[in-house]
Amino acid sequence: MKKFILPLLVLLFVGSLFAVESAPSEVVGYVKYELLVGNNTIALPMDQPYTLASEIGNAIGANAVAYFDTDTQEWETANLSEYGWTGDFNVSNGQTLWVSLDAPATFYSLGNMPASFPVYSLVAGNNTIMLPLNRNDLTLASQVGNEIGANAVAHFNASIQEWESANFSEYGWSGDFTTAIADPLWISTSTAGTWPAPTRRATQSYGTRK
C-alpha cells in the first residue's frame, strides 16, 4: 500500500490579499491506496462524499466491504452478489475498512481536509483506527502502542494476506514496523478510552497492561 497526500490551495492568491483564512477546507488533497487481489485494508482520511459501504465497493470494484464492530468484536460485512449489495452500512471519515477484490485496483480518498480529525472510542479488546493526518510524529507501531497503552498494534500486509503485529511484553516491543499518517491499524488494549485528543490517554506502563 502506497499513499501520497497532495495539498492544493483552493483560494486564489488574490483572495489572500483581502483576508487570511486558516480553515481546513481551504486545502484539498488525496490519499492513494494500492489494492491487490484478495483482502486489503483502507481508511477514509479525507472529507469525501461517500456515505455507504456499497458506494466505496462500487468505486473500487470490491465484492465485499467490512468494518470491525468493537461491541461484538466481529467484522460486519456488506457483500455484492448478482442481486446487488446486502448488509450495507454507513461509513464515516477516519474509518478503517476491510475490502475484498478480484482484481487489483487503486482507491483514492479525495476531498477537503477534514474540519476535525477523528477521535476513536476504544474498548478493552480489539479495535481498528486510522493514524490521523495530524500525527506524522508517530512513525513506529511501538510509538502508537505506547501512546494508546496497547498490547499489540498490527497492520494487514496484502502482499502475503496476513496480519503483521508488533507486540508488547515485559521485554518491550517485538516485531515493530513503520507507520505513517492514514495507515489503517488494528489495536489491542486491555483498557477502554479515547484516542487521541480531546482526552488523550496517558502512556501505560507494563504493569497496567494485561
Side-chain angles (χ1 to χ4, degrees):
M1 180 183 69
K2 211 168 190 179
K3 48 195 176 298
F4 307 87
I5 294 181
L6 175 67
L8 301 170
L9 294 180
V10 174
L11 298 182
L12 296 176
F13 174 73
V14 66
S16 67
L17 299 178
F18 298 98
V20 176
E21 300 289 345
S22 60
S25 61
E26 290 177 6
V27 179
V28 298
Y30 69 85
V31 179
K32 176 183 176 183
Y33 297 90
E34 296 288 358
L35 309 178
L36 304 179
V37 173
N39 299 312
N40 304 260
T41 53
I42 63 172
L44 305 177
M46 307 304 291
D47 187 12
Q48 63 234 329
Y50 299 114
T51 59
L52 293 171
S54 58
E55 295 173 343
I56 295 174
N58 288 335
I60 60 178
N63 52 55
V65 180
Y67 77 98
F68 187 74
D69 188 329
T70 54
D71 291 333
T72 63
Q73 292 287 288
E74 294 181 354
W75 291 92
E76 300 291 337
T77 307
N79 293 289
L80 179 63
S81 71
E82 59 184 309
Y83 305 105
W85 288 93
T86 57
D88 210 1
F89 56 86
N90 294 324
V91 297
S92 58
N93 292 105
Q95 188 173 13
T96 291
L97 298 171
W98 176 278
V99 294
S100 181
L101 295 89
D102 293 327
T106 301
F107 173 66
Y108 291 92
S109 178
L110 174 66
N112 292 328
M113 289 287 286
S116 59
F117 295 107
V119 174
Y120 298 96
S121 296
L122 305 178
V123 302
N126 297 313
N127 305 263
T128 55
I129 65 168
M130 179 201 76
L131 199 58
L133 299 181
N134 62 337
R135 296 309 308 270
N136 59 5
D137 57 311
L138 300 176
T139 58
L140 291 171
S142 58
Q143 294 175 335
V144 178
N146 283 336
E147 181 165 313
I148 293 176
N151 305 310
V153 178
H155 71 111
F156 188 75
N157 187 335
S159 62
I160 61 174
Q161 292 290 289
E162 291 182 2
W163 290 94
E164 295 180 330
S165 181
N167 298 286
F168 189 80
S169 73
E170 60 184 310
Y171 304 106
W173 287 93
S174 60
D176 209 3
F177 57 86
T178 58
T179 58
I181 54 176
D183 274 353
L185 297 172
W186 174 278
I187 303 294
S188 179
T189 180
S190 57
T191 56
T194 58
W195 183 83
T199 54
R200 183 170 299 165
R201 302 172 64 200
T203 300
Q204 294 174 308
S205 68
Y206 173 73
T208 59
R209 286 182 169 120
K210 299 178 181 178

